[in-house]
Amino acid sequence: MSQNSKIQVLAEISRRVNSIRSFREVLMESLRLSVEALKAERGAVILRGEEGEAEYKVGFGEEEAPSLNVINRVLSTASPILTHDVRADGELSESKSLLVRGIRSILAVPLFVRENLAGLIYLESGTKNLFVAEDLEFLRAFANIIGVALENAEYFEDLERENRRLRDQLGEGDIKIIGRSPLIKRAVELADLYASSRAPLLLTGPSGSGKELLARYIHRRGNYVGRFVPQNCGAIPPELLESELFGYKKGAFTGATADKKGLIEEAKDGVLFLDEIGELPLPLQVKLLRFLQDGEIRRIGDNRVRKIRTRVIAATNRDLEKMVKEGKFREDLYYRISVLRIDLPSLADRKEDIPILTNYLIKKFSRSENKKVRGIEREALDRLIEYDWPGNVRQLENVILRAVISASGEYIKAEDIRFFMETGSGGRRLKTLEDLEKEYVRKVLKLVGGNKTKAAEILGITTRGLQYKLKRWGF
Ligand SMILES: Nc1ncnc2c1ncn2[C@@H]1O[C@H](COP(=O)(O)OP(=O)(O)O)[C@@H](O)[C@H]1O
Ligand SMILES: [Mg+2]
């Protein structure tokens, strides 16, 4: 290998070590580069952990391991080994594992972290006279970089821990999911359980029920190194969505004037929150599925395949199973994203949470709005409890915010909220016929346990007619 290309490999290792935070990834990737650069067949980084050795291997089979003989020799002498031919080496020629596997050349150097012997880097090959003195120098340089990276990794972990501690202390960015109802408790329990998994997760529930909040909660709880990146699949046109998610290479299409990372990459080692996944166009469903299956993406117009660990949390207020039956959502993708699933209840299904939610929101908004509102009068609270909340917690939030802003006294009165609740969005004073129709249909459906045939009978319309309405309202 030429001096120049060696320097290039070292520069590349150094660059990656600085850019990848996940330590295991760094080691594997750099090891792979070194094995390739020195034309070895296999390689390993062995770390002397407190509890036995941590090994990172490239090219070895599941059960295979580097020679113990070599490992012990490097660790006990803290000096490198460069063997041109194992069979001609007095000590190593006795080593069964080397002979059985037909190993002839070995190169191994000690690995130091802050001047302490931390392990070794090991390369081997069945070709004799493969490694030369220069290669030893190369591997030493590699070991130095790894040593510094190890030091940084420890330092980085310390910083992260400190950061988390400070954040907790400040209570800043604290994500609270308010609710005592069994339904919400169950949802939070599942969220805690699923936070540490990296498998895809599906959150279902009506709009405004807290799906995004729960996704953020999971991101906070799951010790992710990467960011939380939200994207609403229904918010932008399909062509744009593809380049948003997957990124593109310069020149891939008119307007692609520079390489661009997609959101999947932006959320590397973190969470990509795909809101309204039901709106994802079919061709993109195929691409997303491929990513979920092998963890690989290709930017548009790019040949390079990138391996990326990003957890996908998808959310929907639509009935995906039904969409699958109608051929609007791919069945394979549906199964893939719904391995883990949390269903969020509508606010109407957990009315017992309305009082604490209301109090929580009053506190929150009187602080942010600099008002001295301390609570709510009983009559006003009763009205909140009676109401149906088609917009769920988001709507309750809006109502409380307006009430806090417009409240004249310390306690919110019925008259402070009446106006906003009747109009939902605060624009119109009275409900439309369709609003009433929706409310009534919802009530009847609940009464008959969701049975659409029965509900249609009671409502005096055909089942198809009812289905049409439900679809239009997104029930
Ligand atoms: N259980 C809850 N406790 C506190 N705030 C909530 C809760 N559920 C929802 N919210 C708030 O209601 C609003 C709507 O929630 P969001 O997560 O955006 O709903 P969705 O994604 O289901 O449409 C957000 O401002 C969110 O913080
Ligand atoms: Mg939402």
Side-chain angles (χ1 to χ4, degrees):
M1 185 170 51
S2 76
Q3 191 60 22
N4 222 353
S5 56
K6 261 183 217 165
I7 290 171
Q8 268 170 17
V9 171
L10 286 176
E12 177 69 10
I13 292 173
S14 186
R15 195 183 61 74
R16 293 196 193 189
V17 164
N18 283 323
S19 65
I20 315 177
R21 287 204 226 145
S22 152
F23 191 64
R24 197 185 150 76
E25 248 174 78
V26 174
L27 277 184
M28 293 302 280
E29 190 66 26
S30 333
L31 183 60
R32 202 166 291 127
L33 283 171
S34 303
V35 167
E36 263 170 39
L38 297 186
K39 301 201 165 48
E41 279 166 29
R42 282 169 290 271
V45 175
I46 294 136
L47 298 181
R48 284 210 300 196
E50 272 157 31
E51 300 148 18
E53 285 89 79
E55 277 186 17
Y56 300 87
K57 296 185 290 192
V58 165
F60 285 92
E62 277 290 308
E63 304 286 305
E64 290 175 331
S67 158
L68 259 183
N69 247 311
V70 177
I71 295 175
N72 290 338
R73 208 156 100 187
V74 175
L75 291 183
S76 58
T77 61
S79 39
I81 293 181
L82 169 56
T83 307
H84 298 296
D85 188 359
V86 167
R87 290 186 199 169
D89 182 295
E91 232 175 283
L92 294 181
S93 63
E94 307 279 307
S95 166
K96 270 228 184 73
S97 75
L98 291 175
L99 292 179
V100 167
R101 293 190 294 119
I103 302 307
R104 304 293 287 269
S105 292
I106 287 176
L107 182 60
V109 299
L111 181 62
F112 295 95
V113 176
R114 277 185 247 94
E115 316 204 328
N116 298 317
L117 183 61
L120 70 148
I121 299 174
Y122 171 100
L123 301 181
E124 65 172 30
S125 166
T127 311
K128 66 176 180 178
N129 296 322
L130 181 67
F131 304 121
V132 295
E134 240 178 53
D135 297 335
L136 177 64
E137 287 321 305
F138 170 84
L139 204 60
R140 271 211 172 113
F142 172 53
N144 282 340
I145 297 174
I146 295 298
V148 172
L150 271 169
E151 202 178 321
N152 284 339
E154 278 174 25
Y155 181 59
F156 181 75
E157 273 172 22
D158 284 351
L159 276 182
E160 273 223 317
R161 216 170 302 127
E162 181 67 6
N163 247 330
R164 252 199 304 275
R165 198 181 59 76
L166 285 174
R167 239 184 356 224
D168 287 350
Q169 223 172 45
L170 285 171
E172 190 190 75
D174 197 17
I175 294 175
K176 280 215 180 94
I177 308 214
I178 307 295
R180 307 189 172 123
S181 60
L183 286 173
I184 204 76
K185 270 192 177 154
R186 178 74 188 136
V188 174
E189 239 172 63
L190 286 175
D192 286 333
L193 192 65
Y194 295 162
S196 53
S197 161
R198 293 301 184 255
L201 168 65
L202 179 65
L203 304 180
T204 63
S207 176
S209 61
K211 298 184 293 294
E212 178 159 354
L213 181 72
L214 197 68
R216 287 182 188 273
Y217 172 86
I218 288 170
H219 174 254
R220 183 61 56 80
R221 272 311 186 91
N223 285 324
Y224 289 84
V225 178
R227 294 166 46 204
F228 178 88
V229 178
Q231 173 64 47
N232 185 323
C233 300
I236 52 176
E239 320 81 59
L240 264 179
L241 185 58
E242 177 172 11
S243 59
E244 274 298 297
L245 291 179
F246 292 88
Y248 51 78
K249 193 177 160 68
K250 180 178 170 177
F253 44 82
T254 1
T257 51
D259 291 357
K260 188 174 174 300
K261 261 191 201 176
L263 296 179
I264 296 179
E265 281 180 76
E266 295 286 354
K268 190 169 183 298
D269 298 318
V271 169
L272 176 68
F273 177 65
L274 291 178
D275 205 355
E276 293 187 28
I277 187 86
E279 305 302 318
L280 196 67
L282 283 164
L284 272 180
Q285 292 182 18
V286 179
K287 280 195 85 167
L288 178 64
L289 178 65
R290 220 173 294 141
F291 167 66
L292 292 176
Q293 276 166 345
D294 50 27
E296 290 176 353
I297 61 149
R298 238 165 14 94
R299 298 181 185 173
I300 300 172
D302 198 353
N303 290 324
R304 185 170 156 201
V305 172
R306 293 160 209 263
K307 258 227 156 0
I308 286 160
R309 211 169 312 153
T310 295
R311 184 174 199 193
V312 172
I313 300 185
T316 186
N317 56 5
R318 300 184 59 175
D319 183 347
L320 285 186
E321 264 151 41
K322 196 168 130 223
M323 288 183 72
V324 167
K325 278 186 204 129
E326 291 167 349
K328 291 181 187 143
F329 200 84
R330 288 185 64 103
E331 189 173 22
D332 43 13
L333 178 61
Y334 172 68
Y335 285 123
R336 189 81 198 181
I337 58 170
S338 61
V339 176
L340 302 180
R341 171 174 176 162
I342 303 176
D343 301 321
L344 278 164
S346 69
L347 189 53
D349 283 338
R350 53 178 186 108
K351 286 190 179 243
E352 64 264 52
D353 286 339
I354 292 176
I356 37 169
L357 265 169
T358 299
N359 277 314
Y360 166 79
L361 293 170
I362 291 173
K363 272 207 197 91
K364 178 169 143 185
F365 292 135
S366 41
R367 204 176 313 131
S368 70
E369 298 302 316
N370 238 327
K371 298 275 292 192
K372 291 209 170 55
V373 182
R374 301 150 65 92
I376 183 165
E377 286 183 356
R378 185 68 230 186
E379 191 198 338
L381 184 60
D382 284 343
R383 296 236 26 214
L384 295 180
I385 296 171
E386 279 159 21
Y387 187 63
D388 255 354
W389 299 110
N392 295 292
V393 186
R394 180 175 296 115
Q395 189 187 4
L396 178 63
E397 244 179 22
N398 290 337
V399 168
I400 302 294
L401 174 59
R402 289 184 176 123
V404 165
I405 292 173
S406 59
S408 46
E410 290 197 331
Y411 289 85
I412 293 173
K413 298 181 182 58
E415 62 195 61
D416 293 326
I417 55 170
R418 202 186 61 235
F419 171 77
F420 308 113
M421 274 172 40
E422 278 180 357
T423 59
S425 61
R428 293 162 285 136
R429 183 171 278 274
L430 293 170
K431 292 183 187 182
T432 63
L433 272 179
E434 191 173 15
D435 288 338
L436 289 176
E437 195 184 359
K438 270 195 219 176
E439 270 174 48
Y440 186 61
V441 167
R442 209 188 278 273
K443 267 190 192 135
V444 171
L445 270 172
K446 216 184 220 167
L447 205 72
V448 296
N451 184 325
K452 286 179 196 143
T453 319
K454 273 192 202 156
E457 236 176 78
I458 295 173
L459 292 165
I461 54 175
T462 61
T463 314
R464 275 196 57 176
L466 175 61
Q467 271 162 347
Y468 171 77
K469 282 181 196 296
L470 295 180
K471 194 178 159 199
R472 202 179 47 183
W473 296 334
F475 280 17

